[in-house]
Amino acid sequence: MEYRRLGRSGLQVSELSIGSWVTYGSQVDTRAARETLAAAFDAGINFFDNAEAYAGGESEKIMGQALKELAWPRANYVVSTKFFWGLENRPNRYHTLNRKYLMDAIDGSLARFQLDYVDLAFCHRPDPNTPIEETVWAMSDMITRGKAQYWGTSEWSAEEIRAAYEIAERHHLHKPVMEQPQYNLFHRKRVENEYARLYEDYGMGLTTWSPLASGLLTGKYRNGIPSGSRAQLQGYDWLQQQVLDPVKNEIVGKLDAIAKELGETVGTLALAWVLKNPNVSTVITGSSRIEQLHENLKAAELAKRITPEIQQRIEDTVGDNYA
C-alpha cells in the first residue's frame, strides 16, 4: 500500500480506502464491519470514510463500535464524516449547512463514533440557503475546537469551492483542503475539467467515491440484476436504470477483455484507472465481504502495470460515453 498526501496538506492517506455508504447498516453489521476493517488495516489501509446520513446514523455507530473493539492507537487511522442531509426533517436539522446545525451535527457524530474527534469533516453538499461565509466560519471553528482536523467539501462546484477558500483566506480561517467527488470511467468531467485549476491554485486533494459506478464497472449487471446486489436493495430502485444501461454495459464488456489480458477483473482495472490520476489522494471502495476487499486491493499493483498504451486503449474504448 502506498500513501498519498491529502492535497497540499501534510496528512497521508492510503491510496485505497474503505467507505461505509450502503454497506454499513444495510448489508454489514458490527461483527462483519470489524472483520473487514481489520483486514483492510492489515493490508495498509488507514482511511475509513463515513457520513452522518448513512443508514440514518447507524453507519457511524457500527464503524465506531468496530473501531472501539479493534482498539487501534487513534493516531494510526483516519476517519471522516459528512454533514448536510441531517437525520430529522425539522428546521435547522435537515438539508442545511448553517452554524447551528453544524455545531450540533459534529457532536452527534462524535457520540455515535465514540471518538473525541474526526480527522476529516466534509460539507456533504452545497447549501444555497446559507451564506458560504457562515459555513466557512462554522467549519473553521469546528477545527479550532479540536472536533475535526481538516475540513472540505463534497460535490461542490468549482465556483463554490473557490468562494469558500477565498473567504477563509481573507479572514485567516482554516481553509478547505479536500473535495469528495464521484469519479469513475463514466463520470469524469467535474474532476478532470471543472476542478482543473483548483489543484494548482489551492492544492486541493480528492477522496473520490463510486469508482465502480455503483457496481456497473464490475460487469455483474451485463446480464441483468443479480440476486443480492445493491440495485435490489430497498430504496435503491433509482440505480436500476443506471446499471442496466445497454451502451455502458457493452463498453464494460470490451474493458473486460483488456482486463483479462492483464490477468485481472474489469472492476480491478476500473479502480486502477482512477488511481492513475495524480490529483486523487485516495479511492474510496466499498466491501461487504473480505473477498471483495482482497479483489479491490489488487488495483494498487495493477495501476503500476497500466502503460500509456493501455491507458489509451481504455480511453478509446470508453470514448465520449461519460458525464
Side-chain angles (χ1 to χ4, degrees):
M1 185 65 60
E2 293 188 0
Y3 299 88
R4 302 180 180 185
R5 287 173 60 194
L6 184 64
R8 205 175 285 163
S9 80
L11 185 68
Q12 291 187 319
V13 290
S14 49
E15 57 187 344
L16 292 170
S17 46
I18 295 290
S20 64
W21 180 50
V22 181
T23 51
Y24 287 25
S26 300
Q27 296 174 302
V28 169
D29 59 14
T30 301
R31 180 190 60 78
R34 184 181 65 247
E35 292 176 356
T36 304
L37 291 177
F41 191 74
D42 288 345
I45 289 177
N46 74 340
F47 173 43
F48 307 105
D49 181 73
N50 216 312
E52 174 196 53
Y54 293 169
E58 251 339 273
S59 181
E60 290 179 325
K61 290 180 181 179
I62 289 171
M63 182 177 283
Q65 183 60 33
L67 290 170
K68 181 179 181 180
E69 292 174 10
L70 289 165
W72 299 325
R74 181 64 183 89
N76 289 0
Y77 61 91
V78 176
V79 171
S80 71
T81 194
K82 298 181 280 292
F83 306 115
F84 171 73
W85 304 108
L87 296 178
E88 191 172 344
N89 188 0
R90 291 176 179 271
N92 303 314
R93 301 193 67 182
Y94 184 74
H95 288 195
T96 184
L97 291 175
N98 70 32
R99 183 181 182 86
K100 176 176 173 59
Y101 161 73
L102 289 170
M103 293 296 100
D104 288 340
I106 183 62
D107 288 341
S109 284
L110 294 179
R112 288 186 290 275
F113 273 128
Q114 303 180 70
L115 294 174
D116 295 328
Y117 67 91
V118 294
D119 300 278
L120 311 181
F122 292 86
C123 294
H124 209 163
R125 290 295 185 275
D127 175 11
N129 299 311
T130 297
I132 290 181
E133 186 165 1
E134 178 177 337
T135 299
V136 172
W137 274 98
M139 297 305 292
S140 182
D141 285 349
M142 195 181 291
I143 294 174
T144 299
R145 295 178 184 187
K147 297 180 179 184
Q149 305 292 349
Y150 303 87
W151 81 273
T153 58
S154 181
E155 297 294 348
W156 281 33
S157 70
E159 181 181 4
E160 290 162 336
I161 294 170
R162 190 174 293 276
Y165 192 96
E166 291 176 356
I167 287 168
E169 190 166 61
R170 184 162 62 247
H171 294 290
H172 306 290
L173 303 175
H174 295 287
K175 303 177 182 70
V177 302
M178 71 279 183
E179 158 66 29
Q180 187 168 123
Q182 180 178 178
Y183 186 49
N184 57 61
L185 277 162
F186 293 134
H187 194 99
R188 304 166 51 176
K189 291 181 180 178
R190 170 160 273 183
V191 165
E192 295 177 4
N193 301 329
E194 183 183 341
Y195 289 164
R197 286 289 302 274
L198 299 181
Y199 310 123
E200 182 177 348
D201 290 354
Y202 302 142
M204 185 179 74
L206 300 180
T207 65
T208 63
W209 63 277
S210 197
L212 299 177
S214 298
L216 174 60
L217 282 161
T218 66
K220 66 183 178 182
Y221 295 110
R222 289 170 62 193
N223 297 309
I225 298 177
S227 177
S229 66
R230 179 180 300 181
Q232 280 198 331
L233 292 175
Q234 184 177 358
Y236 288 86
D237 299 342
W238 55 271
L239 267 181
Q240 295 184 11
Q241 184 175 359
Q242 175 182 322
V243 298
L244 294 177
D245 184 300
V247 173
K248 290 180 179 177
N249 273 296
E250 183 179 354
I251 291 170
V252 171
K254 295 176 181 177
L255 291 171
D256 188 43
I258 298 174
K260 286 177 178 175
E261 291 176 22
L262 296 167
E264 297 292 351
T265 66
V266 66
T268 305
L269 180 69
L271 287 171
W273 178 87
V274 178
L275 280 171
K276 295 293 286 187
N277 188 324
N279 297 310
V280 171
S281 299
T282 185
V283 180
I284 299 171
T285 66
S287 300
S288 58
R289 295 176 290 106
I290 290 180
E291 293 79 13
Q292 285 181 318
L293 170 67
H294 290 159
E295 187 65 32
N296 292 340
L297 288 169
K298 296 178 182 178
E301 185 276 331
L302 179 58
K304 297 179 177 66
R305 294 195 282 127
I306 295 181
T307 63
E309 292 75 21
I310 295 172
Q311 184 90 3
Q312 189 58 54
R313 286 180 63 192
I314 295 171
E315 298 294 335
D316 292 342
T317 300
V318 176
D320 60 359
N321 293 286
Y322 59 86

